[in-house]
Amino acid sequence: MTDPVQDQYEAYPYPGRNPVEESARLVTGSPSRVLEIDHYLFGGQRDWNQPFRVLVAGGGTGDATVMLAQQLHDKGVKAEITYLDLSSASRRIAEQRLAARGLINVTFLNGSLLDLAAMGLGGFDYIDCCGVLHHLPDPDAGLVSLAAALAPGGGIGIMVYGEYGRAGLYPLQAALQQLAGDMPLAEQVTLARKLLPALPVTNGFRNNRFLGDHQRGDAELVDLLLHRQDRAYTVPQLATLVAGAGLRIASFIEPLRYDPGLYLTDPALAKRAASLPMLEQAALAEQLAGNMKLHIAYLSHSDDTVAQPAPEAIPLFIDWEAATIARAVQQQGGIKGAFDGLPVTLPLPRQAPAILKLIDGARTLDAIRQQAGFADWDSFMAVFRPIWRALNGINRLVLRF
């Protein structure tokens, strides 16, 4: 990262967080929920009685570090977590947040992820790198550095910007740089806030309803509009970045967003799309949707790290409660929601509520099959398969063996 970028995060630690709020909420999200890590990178079979080494590369004000530390503590895992960031101001906030929770299993370091090889930290079972690679002078070198820091069998959770959902942003960044790039950063913030409501009605950023982070605070405005080093990726560009580091995309999050069948109502077109390789399907879905401002993915050196439905698999909800979702599906006939402004309706079989209410984090799929009254596995899967596509597709249902 360049010196102006480091200076930015010293002046405006990102994201804006108040350690006092730790008593009221735990900020969660993807990547790096422990249930996701297990499902997408370890086939739902990791032995959590074994030690778990984590690196948060570009820890910022601590969202991923706090979430991982708290979840691993609650799970009783013997975890060793390393936080790494260039910004001392961001690190102080992260340290205060961990201290507010009484979590002590984190080592804090200032430095660049590009220098990991020289740090001698050893191999990590999991690396979180959320919102960092796209701010590096050389993202390819950054991901190569992370890949080299993995322990055998380990994996990475990343978030990078998506190009199409950020339409209109980069011309505005360039305009602000031209108008105010020689000003102190605080004065640039003031000018940007004056400019935004006066943008022409034809301005691309003004018409992009997917970008609103700048409305939350000054740190968010600086990160979005005044960043000196910022790029975005299409799916093919991300795939090239990942392959260049000797890694594979285990899964995108949420998987359903990368299924072109979600956007194609014509059966013949949907069939043609379904015949494409996985990454080509994802690229097509991104082009059709047009609103993906982020790409979240899990990466691994190996193939087939994602858990798949099997009789002995235990389904687990992420942040949902079985009775509530079963009741909602009963009333609506499926799942209704939105992906960044895109309304989504996912019809489910009429037997879905009876299956969903049996998901308790302990029953296997075969036990659920028997209790739901299905005579054999094939007849059960005919009903469960669309449930799985929908709920795993929106990242609400994973598997554990």
Side-chain angles (χ1 to χ4, degrees):
M1 299 175 77
T2 63
D3 288 341
V5 175
Q6 183 173 356
D7 292 344
Q8 169 192 320
Y9 289 118
E10 294 293 354
Y12 293 93
Y14 179 85
R17 294 287 184 252
N18 184 350
V20 173
E21 295 178 355
E22 292 305 312
S23 61
R25 64 166 183 168
L26 174 65
V27 177
T28 61
S30 300
S32 299
R33 290 184 175 97
V34 172
L35 290 179
E36 293 176 14
I37 294 169
D38 194 17
H39 174 88
Y40 291 107
L41 292 175
F42 297 99
Q45 300 183 60
R46 188 178 199 282
D47 181 359
W48 292 103
N49 291 315
Q50 297 300 312
F52 192 59
R53 299 196 74 231
V54 175
L55 171 68
V56 182
T61 53
D63 280 3
T65 308
V66 173
M67 178 177 69
L68 280 161
Q70 187 67 65
Q71 291 187 351
L72 291 167
H73 174 269
D74 293 345
K75 198 175 177 68
V77 177
K78 186 179 179 182
E80 179 185 331
I81 302 172
T82 300
Y83 164 107
L84 179 67
D85 200 279
L86 283 174
S87 168
S88 297
S90 297
R91 170 181 168 172
R92 284 193 295 271
I93 293 171
E95 287 177 324
Q96 291 167 13
R97 293 177 68 187
L98 268 294
R101 291 178 173 272
L103 298 171
I104 59 174
N105 59 332
V106 177
T107 299
F108 287 89
L109 299 175
N110 283 119
S112 170
L113 64 85
L114 294 169
D115 299 327
L116 278 171
M119 293 181 184
L121 300 177
F124 294 95
D125 300 301
Y126 177 69
I127 297 175
D128 173 286
C129 188
C130 190
V132 178
L133 291 173
H134 49 232
H135 292 318
L136 293 176
D138 187 348
D140 297 83
L143 191 54
V144 167
S145 177
L146 295 179
L150 285 175
I156 302 174
I158 65 165
M159 182 278 279
V160 297
Y161 294 144
E163 181 175 315
Y164 301 142
R166 288 167 73 83
L169 170 62
Y170 294 107
L172 182 58
Q173 281 189 1
L176 286 166
Q177 177 66 21
Q178 188 174 3
L179 286 169
D182 58 343
M183 295 180 176
L185 192 52
E187 294 181 25
Q188 293 183 45
V189 172
T190 301
L191 183 144
R193 292 216 175 274
K194 289 174 61 178
L195 176 63
L196 287 172
L199 288 172
V201 295
T202 53
N203 180 268
F205 180 83
R206 176 170 175 166
N207 288 300
N208 186 339
R209 57 196 175 99
F210 312 123
L211 296 174
D213 290 358
H214 58 291
Q215 299 170 3
R216 300 204 315 265
D218 286 350
E220 286 71 20
L221 182 145
V222 170
D223 195 72
L224 183 68
L225 298 176
L226 300 174
H227 214 293
R228 294 296 181 89
Q229 200 155 263
D230 177 346
R231 66 152 298 174
Y233 289 84
T234 63
V235 165
Q237 290 167 346
L238 177 57
T240 298
L241 173 71
V242 171
L247 297 167
R248 297 169 175 82
I249 298 175
S251 181
F252 289 102
I253 303 296
E254 299 121 336
L256 190 60
R257 299 189 69 163
Y258 295 83
D259 180 350
L262 180 67
Y263 311 103
L264 296 170
T265 57
D266 182 273
L269 291 176
K271 184 177 180 180
R272 286 178 63 85
S275 69
L276 297 171
M278 185 273 282
L279 285 174
E280 291 185 28
Q281 288 192 43
L284 176 59
E286 178 189 31
Q287 292 166 339
L288 291 170
N291 68 342
M292 294 185 190
K293 61 183 180 181
L294 306 173
H295 295 303
I296 299 170
Y298 286 99
L299 314 178
S300 174
H301 282 294
S302 306
D303 291 319
D304 303 323
T305 63
V306 182
Q308 301 296 331
E312 64 273 20
I314 299 170
L316 302 158
F317 281 119
I318 294 178
D319 296 338
W320 273 7
E321 196 272 330
T324 301
I325 186 58
R327 185 164 53 250
V329 170
Q330 181 74 52
Q331 294 169 349
Q332 301 173 359
I335 303 293
K336 294 185 178 180
F339 288 139
D340 287 326
L342 175 70
V344 175
T345 299
L346 305 172
L348 295 180
R350 61 177 178 80
Q351 304 100 315
I355 292 173
L356 292 171
K357 69 182 182 182
L358 293 172
I359 296 176
D360 62 358
R363 292 186 179 95
T364 65
L365 284 176
D366 197 51
I368 292 171
R369 172 192 69 79
Q370 295 178 48
Q371 289 191 251
F374 289 87
D376 55 65
W377 179 253
D378 288 343
S379 62
F380 171 72
M381 282 303 296
V383 175
F384 183 72
R385 194 171 291 111
I387 297 173
W388 175 249
R389 175 180 180 269
L391 271 66
N392 175 256
I394 61 175
N395 200 42
R396 292 297 182 178
L397 191 65
V398 293
L399 299 173
R400 171 74 181 155
F401 286 82

